[in-house]
Amino acid sequence: MATLSAGGQQDAACMHIRELTMNACKVAHSAAGAVAEGIATGVNALLETVRPREIELDRLDREIDSAVTTHITGATEESAREMLACMKLSIGMERIGDLLLGFSNRALVAASRCEMEDVRDLTLMASRLEKMLSEVREAFEMRNLDKALAVLRSDAEIDRLRNLVFVRHLENPGGTHRSESFHVVFMTQALERAGDHVKNMAEEVCHLVSGQSVRHLLRSIDKPLEQMFLDQLRTKHAL
């Protein structure tokens, strides 16, 4: 029976690690989708599906970490770079799973008593997070730099929504009585932090594809991230 050469074994290992990473992306994306739909509809059964997905993300993170540790020695520079990128992506998704589980646990307790404007903003944040996870998965799978940069632009919208919620509940300039502020603030913070992890994942994909850090990459195209975001908004409104 023919056996794989050392190079062939490394290629097969790298492909396996890549497939595990893609699976983790899909699980994280589905968890964010369950959170978005669950908070929007108030269906607790959707929020309860986050826990098994978080457990699966933990399992995949451990498997990827073990596989990278085993196979990175002796790998080519290109394969080693991809393995390390996969490990960083899996760490980000494992943390996102933790944050989404914390969100869903609070939502199960408090969502039915949240005000409609809070439900609206949390739904928008979770939906944007779901879209960012889909885009970062596609960027990684297709080695698409534009899609990775689109994720960086999208994070600003999550930050904007977080600021709206924080002003409403923490500053409360109108002195309006707000229900469930404690839970709402922590749920908002969980989604914002999850967005930061997806942003970090997108930066890792940028580095994998271009060989440059995001800072150097943006300098090379001579356009700051904020300007790219404004350009995206103008294009959207024009359409």
Side-chain angles (χ1 to χ4, degrees):
M1 180 180 293
T3 58
L4 288 175
S5 65
Q9 289 176 347
Q10 290 294 341
D11 289 342
C14 191
M15 183 176 297
H16 176 61
I17 293 168
R18 187 186 309 129
E19 290 173 353
L20 290 174
T21 305
M22 292 298 301
N23 287 340
C25 287
K26 292 175 183 177
V27 174
H29 174 257
S30 66
V35 162
E37 189 175 355
I39 194 69
T41 62
V43 177
N44 286 346
L46 289 167
L47 296 170
E48 290 168 351
T49 65
V50 176
R51 181 174 294 278
R53 290 182 168 111
E54 188 270 338
I55 292 172
E56 176 64 5
L57 286 171
D58 283 348
R59 186 193 68 79
L60 287 166
D61 179 54
R62 290 192 300 271
E63 188 171 353
I64 291 168
D65 181 74
S66 177
V68 171
T69 302
T70 300
H71 296 288
I72 197 168
T73 302
T76 64
E77 181 179 348
E78 182 178 357
S79 293
R81 186 181 298 114
E82 182 166 4
M83 289 181 188
L84 289 173
C86 288
M87 188 166 66
K88 292 177 182 178
L89 293 179
S90 71
I91 290 171
M93 287 180 284
E94 187 272 335
R95 291 173 178 169
I96 289 169
D98 289 343
L99 289 164
L100 291 178
L101 179 60
F103 178 100
S104 64
N105 287 340
R106 288 187 183 277
L108 287 168
V109 172
S112 62
R113 300 189 297 273
C114 288
E115 298 171 18
M116 287 306 300
E117 57 188 346
D118 292 324
V119 172
R120 177 201 63 206
D121 288 343
L122 290 171
T123 299
L124 288 172
M125 289 182 74
S127 298
R128 179 55 64 107
L129 178 67
E130 179 186 14
K131 185 174 187 295
M132 288 170 67
L133 283 163
S134 175
E135 288 176 339
V136 82
R137 176 179 60 82
E138 293 174 1
F140 174 69
E141 183 178 20
M142 299 186 295
R143 300 294 193 270
N144 189 306
L145 193 59
D146 289 337
K147 286 186 177 293
L149 291 172
V151 176
L152 301 181
R153 294 193 292 267
S154 295
D155 185 60
E157 176 63 10
I158 288 185
D159 289 345
R160 185 188 71 83
L161 291 166
R162 175 211 55 197
N163 291 340
L164 287 177
V165 175
F166 277 18
V167 167
R168 191 158 61 236
H169 284 271
L170 299 180
E171 298 182 15
N172 194 7
T176 306
H177 172 71
R178 301 287 180 184
S179 62
E180 303 301 331
S181 288
F182 180 79
H183 289 299
V184 169
V185 166
F186 274 94
M187 287 191 289
T188 302
Q189 193 172 41
L191 293 178
E192 187 269 334
R193 287 179 175 173
D196 285 343
H197 285 302
V198 184
K199 181 179 177 181
N200 292 340
M201 291 165 59
E203 291 177 351
E204 186 60 39
V205 173
C206 286
H207 186 266
L208 176 65
V209 174
S210 68
Q212 302 179 62
S213 70
V214 170
R215 183 180 303 171
H216 292 155
L217 180 63
L218 294 178
R219 185 182 296 127
S220 71
I221 59 178
D222 197 27
K223 185 180 290 187
L225 186 59
E226 294 81 1
Q227 185 61 48
M228 295 173 68
F229 178 64
L230 291 174
D231 290 346
Q232 182 194 38
L233 290 179
R234 293 190 185 101
T235 301
K236 180 179 177 181
H237 288 307
L239 292 175

